[in-house]
Amino acid sequence: MKKNIFFLSFNYFFIFLFFFLLIYTFYRAEIVHNSQQIDYYLKYYIIFSSSFLFWLVVLRLKIEIKIFFVILGISILFSLYAFELIRFYNISIKNIFLEKNIELPLKSEKLILIEKLIKKDKNTFPSITPSVFLDKDQMELFPLSGVSNATTVFCKEGPEFSIYKSDRYGFNNPDDNWDNKVDYLFIGDSFAQGACVDEGKDIASQLRLLTGKKTLTLGMAGNGPLTELASLKEYVSDIKANNIFWVYFERNDLNDLKKEKKNKILIKYLDRNFSQNLKEKQAKIDNILKQNIIKEKKNFLSKNSIDDSKKKDVFQKIIRLKILRDKLALDRGLNLPVDSLFKEIILNAKNYAKKKGSNFYFVYLPDKETFKKHNLSKKNLFKKDQILKILEKNKINLIDIQSLVFTKEEDPISLFAHRTYGHYSAETYSKIAAVIVDSIK
């Protein structure tokens, strides 16, 4: 009898679960988006309504069949969240059983490498993204770079970490390329920074190698359009750059903008006269970054490795199966207009470049999802059509890496690091550099 009550309870649980999800879908589709995104929410309507009706039918079946479906439902639910947790926390057999490099609490591979490198060079630090400061509204200064003149451990998409020596301002450049005049300057996120290839294999370095001319990148991982505009205005203010390349990654740049525009310092960069004068404050920037690194390390090594302010966000991502939905491309298709602020930022950057006497180019980088079979027919997967219309209407020079590099390959996925990761391989960065040279002749 108790056994029957247990399975009956789970039957009702699934009924109420999918009824709730159906109501939530209605709320999002009809109230939040005012019935303008039915094509996107249709799949959720079908999934949740079908599941709701299915569990209502199961409720009326014989107990033996009911038990079978309830066990199946529990197994599927458990499997989905097991996958989500494993991917979210990067759990692997290697991490669990590799005893040599494990302490309690568990140390990351990156932290272990940094501790090893510090023995040779005390000025060794992890690359730190400006985006970590977005929600820190009490800050008087917003850093846009990394620790200066430091051995910088960046990221890993393969057997080894990407490591580089940062320049006087904390970017991934040879320091002697800073001069009153440079030929090529890149603005962007991790792709412009050189994720995750060896030093000298990033796009800017490959271009420097091809042309023999001075080249700088102000790219930092996690940057979105507003942070990139800030970087342009702060670090190009007193130099002449013949060619400025705005590197845009289709997968997340618009999403990054949603968070950036809430920051009280970054939003001020829309004012043409605003500046933090960061070039004159590198010592202060280094101190802020180092203090943040120490704090993050302590948090990581403590039992409460996740900051309280982030716990809610982590819980929401896991409960909503964020990674799984992303892998299945279920969150693609919301046909929302491009934030008008994006256009304002790009025009601001173009006009700033024009005022400096620089040529301005918009470099469009595609995401791996674009080349998955189930997405090949989706022409506006990442709002590309809308972005290109903005560029065309405002006469902004476009270098479309998707059409100039990726679509010319029989296997575009091979251009991504080890066919697995989200960034490009060193060979792909080299091809992009060559295309850029040809495009501006």
Side-chain angles (χ1 to χ4, degrees):
M1 185 66 180
K2 289 184 179 180
K3 180 180 178 181
N4 292 351
I5 294 174
F6 172 81
F7 288 104
L8 185 62
S9 299
F10 262 99
N11 197 154
Y12 279 115
F13 166 77
F14 284 120
I15 289 172
F16 286 117
L17 172 64
F18 288 108
F19 179 73
F20 168 77
L21 292 173
L22 191 57
I23 296 299
Y24 181 71
T25 300
F26 176 83
Y27 165 75
R28 297 288 301 178
E30 308 302 329
I31 298 176
V32 176
H33 293 294
N34 198 27
S35 304
Q36 300 297 311
Q37 304 296 329
I38 294 300
D39 288 344
Y40 170 80
Y41 284 103
L42 181 60
K43 57 181 175 285
Y44 289 112
Y45 271 125
I46 293 172
I47 292 171
F48 298 146
S49 60
S50 299
S51 299
F52 173 67
L53 292 173
F54 171 79
W55 287 105
L56 281 177
V57 172
V58 170
L59 189 63
R60 302 180 64 86
L61 297 177
K62 293 180 179 180
I63 187 63
E64 293 81 5
I65 302 176
K66 191 194 303 286
I67 290 173
F68 169 78
F69 282 119
V70 168
I71 291 175
L72 182 63
I74 293 172
S75 300
I76 292 173
L77 195 64
F78 175 82
S79 299
L80 294 178
Y81 279 102
F83 173 85
E84 189 74 13
L85 287 167
I86 288 169
R87 294 305 300 268
F88 192 91
Y89 290 107
N90 193 28
I91 300 169
S92 68
I93 298 298
K94 178 181 177 182
N95 289 341
I96 294 172
F97 293 106
L98 185 60
E99 295 180 358
K100 288 183 180 179
N101 292 330
I102 287 182
E103 298 176 9
L104 292 176
L106 183 69
K107 282 190 177 181
S108 74
E109 189 178 357
K110 187 173 187 177
L111 180 56
I112 292 166
L113 175 60
I114 291 171
E115 290 178 346
K116 181 179 178 182
L117 293 174
I118 284 176
K119 294 177 181 178
K120 297 179 180 179
D121 180 4
K122 290 185 178 181
N123 202 35
T124 298
F125 297 94
S127 174
I128 185 166
T129 64
S131 60
V132 302
F133 300 108
L134 285 176
D135 59 354
K136 302 183 188 303
D137 290 331
Q138 304 306 315
M139 294 184 67
E140 296 180 2
L141 183 147
F142 191 98
L144 298 171
S145 61
V147 179
S148 64
N149 300 309
T151 298
T152 304
V153 181
F154 187 13
C155 56
K156 179 182 178 181
E157 291 186 347
E160 303 293 338
F161 274 92
S162 169
I163 302 172
Y164 62 84
K165 180 75 173 181
S166 64
D167 63 27
R168 68 189 72 175
Y169 299 119
F171 296 107
N172 183 11
N173 299 298
D175 194 66
D176 59 8
N177 271 235
W178 281 98
D179 204 342
N180 292 331
K181 184 177 180 180
V182 297
D183 292 282
Y184 308 109
L185 184 134
F186 288 84
I187 303 288
D189 60 4
S190 53
F191 286 88
Q193 188 178 359
C196 292
V197 296
D198 292 338
E199 187 173 22
K201 299 293 181 66
D202 57 285
I203 299 173
S205 295
Q206 303 270 17
L207 193 60
R208 190 182 302 116
L209 186 65
L210 281 172
T211 63
K213 296 180 179 180
K214 288 190 174 181
T215 305
L216 292 173
T217 179
L218 305 181
M220 292 296 291
N223 278 4
L226 198 51
T227 308
E228 290 160 5
L229 177 65
S231 300
L232 176 66
K233 291 187 171 184
E234 287 291 345
Y235 293 98
V236 188
S237 59
D238 58 350
I239 65 173
K240 171 69 167 68
N242 290 334
N243 301 284
I244 295 174
F245 301 98
W246 185 284
V247 180
Y248 174 87
F249 180 51
E250 65 178 2
R251 183 182 184 90
N252 54 28
D253 277 21
L254 292 178
N255 286 330
D256 293 334
L257 181 56
K258 293 177 184 177
K259 308 168 196 169
E260 292 175 330
K261 66 183 183 181
K262 297 176 182 177
N263 184 274
K264 66 178 184 180
I265 294 179
L266 290 182
I267 200 69
K268 292 180 182 179
Y269 281 98
L270 294 173
D271 179 351
R272 65 180 182 178
N273 297 317
F274 177 75
S275 174
Q276 297 184 81
N277 299 311
L278 296 183
K279 276 190 168 182
E280 302 170 7
K281 301 175 181 177
Q282 192 57 46
K284 188 174 182 179
I285 291 170
D286 284 348
N287 184 57
I288 291 172
L289 297 176
K290 290 174 183 178
Q291 290 300 317
N292 188 79
I293 290 168
I294 292 170
K295 179 183 176 183
E296 290 298 318
K297 181 180 177 181
K298 286 181 179 177
N299 286 340
F300 181 80
L301 293 177
S302 70
K303 291 182 180 180
N304 299 315
S305 60
I306 300 177
D307 191 279
D308 287 340
S309 63
K310 298 178 182 177
K311 285 182 180 180
K312 184 178 178 181
D313 184 51
V314 169
F315 175 76
Q316 288 179 346
K317 286 181 178 179
I318 293 173
I319 206 72
R320 290 165 60 89
L321 297 172
K322 180 73 172 61
I323 293 175
L324 181 64
R325 289 164 61 198
D326 195 51
K327 289 290 181 184
L328 296 175
L330 290 175
D331 281 349
R332 307 283 184 265
L334 263 177
N335 191 26
L336 299 173
V338 173
D339 192 328
S340 59
L341 186 59
F342 173 79
K343 175 183 173 181
E344 185 179 349
I345 290 169
I346 294 301
L347 286 177
N348 198 312
K350 179 194 174 186
N351 292 334
Y352 184 84
K354 184 178 180 180
K355 184 179 177 182
K356 298 284 293 182
S358 307
N359 300 313
F360 185 77
Y361 300 91
F362 189 95
V363 183
Y364 191 100
L365 301 184
D367 179 54
K368 187 165 61 173
E369 285 292 328
T370 298
F371 307 103
K372 297 290 183 66
K373 287 184 180 180
H374 58 272
N375 287 327
L376 291 177
S377 61
K378 300 176 183 177
K379 295 182 179 180
N380 200 28
L381 183 62
F382 291 103
K383 299 183 175 61
K384 183 177 181 180
D385 288 349
Q386 296 174 52
I387 296 294
L388 297 192
K389 284 178 183 177
I390 291 172
L391 301 179
E392 183 179 6
K393 187 175 181 180
N394 293 282
K395 298 180 181 179
I396 295 173
N397 298 315
L398 170 67
I399 301 178
D400 187 357
I401 299 302
Q402 182 175 335
S403 61
L404 293 173
V405 177
F406 283 79
T407 56
K408 293 184 178 181
E409 296 285 332
E410 281 189 29
D411 180 18
I413 301 296
S414 67
L415 296 175
F416 291 84
H418 302 278
R419 300 182 57 85
T420 303
Y421 300 98
H423 293 102
Y424 306 153
S425 66
E427 292 76 16
T428 305
Y429 285 144
S430 179
K431 290 180 180 181
I432 292 172
V435 162
I436 288 174
V437 171
D438 289 340
S439 298
I440 64 176
K441 283 182 180 177

